[in-house]
């Protein structure tokens, strides 16, 4: 009976559960204390402001669970945006531009995965290198100019003013919700998800158990690059401007969201729901700070603090739990 109660308390104290409670508390505090926060127009805008972060966070969560990371996602977003702008400026139809950008994103992700799985380089070093490479290519493709006047039909789809009928949910967030459900099923209900956790927990043991470690990591890097390129298209349409410097620094917010959601940076632990809660919490906090006239610089500081807290707090909880177990065993 006591063991059952302990399990129940452990579930209640799970980091992702606590984060969900915190998210609800922040929403209630914002609705009660900040004028205009609870208006549907503001909620739509707040959700849409997280669109690119949310989309990239999905494959990033799977990647981090598998013990890997991709720091080049923001640069791939910028490269996709620059390429879209360059091709549109050259007279291409937007329906042709989108698949070209997605193929470039897929190729960039495959390059990251190949360098990690075949050449044997660490993901952190590889993606720091490609972070610079992809951003440089974006500058080569578009230079210093900005391209605008994209098709209104597509631009409306990416705007918070056009929402799913009967709701205040913008279409990019509706797409994110569908993809999040799919990613959660894959991660938590399939053998591929179990393989990702096994790779992150102990890669060599997973390999000996018959898990196709390199193939899974390659697929995850490819998905991350593909999604980052799609996020670049969303970003371009949402702001109505294609620039080579779009998305600078976005990779830190994505990683902060994932880690804030309780996904262990060393791999092998975490939930998709926690990562989604992390994305929403950062988005809500940024919106509240903006409504209260807090500068962008302070918002960056808040994101940095959250990143430190997200890494430190679960570790402190784990150490405290281990010490408690040792004391219990000793008595």
């Amino acid at each position: 009976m006591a063991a059952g109660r302990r399990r129940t308390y452990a579930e209640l104290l799970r980091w992702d559960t606590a984060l969900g409670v915190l998210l609800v508390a922040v929403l209630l505090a914002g609705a009660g204390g900040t004028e205009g926060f609870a208006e549907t127009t503001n909620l739509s805008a707040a959700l849409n402001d997280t669109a690119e972060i949310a989309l990239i966070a999905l494959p990033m969560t799977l990647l981090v669970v598998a013990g890997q990371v991709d720091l080049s996602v923001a640069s791939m977003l910028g490269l996709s945006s620059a390429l879209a702008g360059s091709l549109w400026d050259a007279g291409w139809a937007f329906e042709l531009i989108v698949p070209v950008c997605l193929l470039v994103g897929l190729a960039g992700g495959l390059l990251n995965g190949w360098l990690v799985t075949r050449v044997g380089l660490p993901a952190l070093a590889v993606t720091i290198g490609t972070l610079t490479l992809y951003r440089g290519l974006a500058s080569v493709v578009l230079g210093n100019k900005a391209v605008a006047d994209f098709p209104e039909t597509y631009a409306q789809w990416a705007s918070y003013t056009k929402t799913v009928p009967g709701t205040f949910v913008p279409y990019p967030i509706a797409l994110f919700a569908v993809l999040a459900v799919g990613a959660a099923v894959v991660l938590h209900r399939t053998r591929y998800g179990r393989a990702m956790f096994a790779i992150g927990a102990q890669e060599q043991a997973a390999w000996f158990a018959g898990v196709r470690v390199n193939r899974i990591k390659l697929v995850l890097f490819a998905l991350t690059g593909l999604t980052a390129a799609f996020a670049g298209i969303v970003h371009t349409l949402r702001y109505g401007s294609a620039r080579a410097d779009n998305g600078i620094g976005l990779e830190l917010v994505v990683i902060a969201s994932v880690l804030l959601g309780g996904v262990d940076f060393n791999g092998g632990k975490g939930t998709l729901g926690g990562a989604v809660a992390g994305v929403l919490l950062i988005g809500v906090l940024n919106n509240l700070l903006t409504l209260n006239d807090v500068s962008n610089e302070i918002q960056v500081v808040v994101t940095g603090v959250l990143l430190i807290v997200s890494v430190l707090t679960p570790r402190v909880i784990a150490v405290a739990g281990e010490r408690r177990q040792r004391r219990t065993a000793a008595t």
Side-chain angles (χ1 to χ4, degrees):
M1 188 70 174
R5 283 198 298 269
R6 283 196 295 271
R7 284 195 297 270
T8 302
Y9 295 152
E11 290 172 359
L12 290 174
L13 291 174
R14 275 176 43 165
W15 177 254
D16 51 355
T17 303
L19 192 67
V21 173
L22 179 60
L23 174 60
V24 172
V26 171
L27 286 170
L28 293 174
T34 301
E35 184 179 356
F37 173 78
E39 295 178 2
T40 55
T41 301
N42 178 68
L43 293 176
S44 296
L47 285 173
N48 215 38
D49 283 344
T50 67
E52 298 93 326
I53 298 167
L55 288 168
I56 300 173
L58 293 178
M60 185 71 80
T61 299
L62 306 184
L63 199 59
V64 175
V65 164
Q68 307 298 307
V69 70
D70 187 349
L71 296 178
S72 69
V73 288
S75 295
M76 178 54 71
L77 182 153
L79 175 57
S80 175
S81 178
L83 183 59
S86 178
L87 294 178
W88 178 250
D89 199 40
W92 283 46
F94 201 77
E95 294 78 8
L96 295 177
I97 292 173
V98 172
V100 169
C101 291
L102 295 181
L103 285 174
V104 169
L106 181 63
L110 287 171
L111 174 61
N112 287 338
W114 180 79
L115 290 171
V116 171
T117 61
R118 302 302 178 187
V119 181
L121 299 175
L124 192 63
V126 166
T127 57
I128 286 175
T130 53
L131 176 154
T132 305
L133 172 63
Y134 300 154
R135 187 64 68 179
L137 288 174
S139 297
V140 170
V141 167
L142 196 58
N144 294 323
K145 66 179 180 179
V147 177
D149 298 324
F150 291 97
E152 186 65 23
T153 302
Y154 296 105
Q156 286 181 351
W157 177 86
S159 170
Y160 73 91
T161 57
K162 188 176 181 64
T163 60
V164 176
T167 73
F168 59 84
V169 178
Y171 280 99
I173 296 300
L175 175 62
F176 160 72
V178 173
L179 294 177
V181 171
V185 170
V186 170
L187 183 61
H188 300 296
R189 292 291 184 267
T190 69
R191 62 186 180 92
Y192 299 105
R194 291 191 292 273
M196 293 175 208
F197 281 107
I199 294 169
Q202 181 51 261
E203 182 175 319
Q204 190 172 18
W207 186 83
F208 280 118
V211 175
R212 295 184 173 181
V213 173
N214 285 342
R215 177 178 293 185
I216 290 175
K217 290 198 291 187
L218 184 65
V219 169
L220 292 178
F221 275 109
L223 285 174
T224 305
L226 178 67
T227 307
F230 179 71
I233 296 170
V234 173
H235 189 282
T236 300
L237 293 174
R238 192 160 67 86
Y239 286 99
S241 176
R243 295 176 55 91
D245 60 355
N246 277 349
I248 285 182
L250 196 71
E251 68 279 349
L252 296 180
V253 184
V254 172
I255 293 172
S257 301
V258 172
L259 298 184
L260 183 61
V263 181
D264 194 328
F265 192 69
N266 294 320
K269 296 178 183 178
T271 65
L272 203 286
V276 171
V279 169
L280 294 177
L281 181 59
I282 288 181
V284 168
L285 285 174
N286 284 339
N287 180 258
L288 281 171
L289 292 173
T290 300
L291 290 176
N292 286 283
D293 296 323
V294 177
S295 67
N296 288 332
E297 291 77 9
I298 298 299
Q299 293 184 34
V300 172
V301 171
V302 170
T303 300
V305 171
L306 287 174
L307 180 57
I308 294 172
V309 169
S310 64
V311 174
L312 184 61
T313 305
R315 187 70 61 190
V316 170
I317 293 173
V319 170
E322 290 172 1
R323 289 179 178 175
R324 187 167 55 251
Q325 288 178 356
R326 285 198 295 267
R327 286 197 299 268
T328 302
T331 56

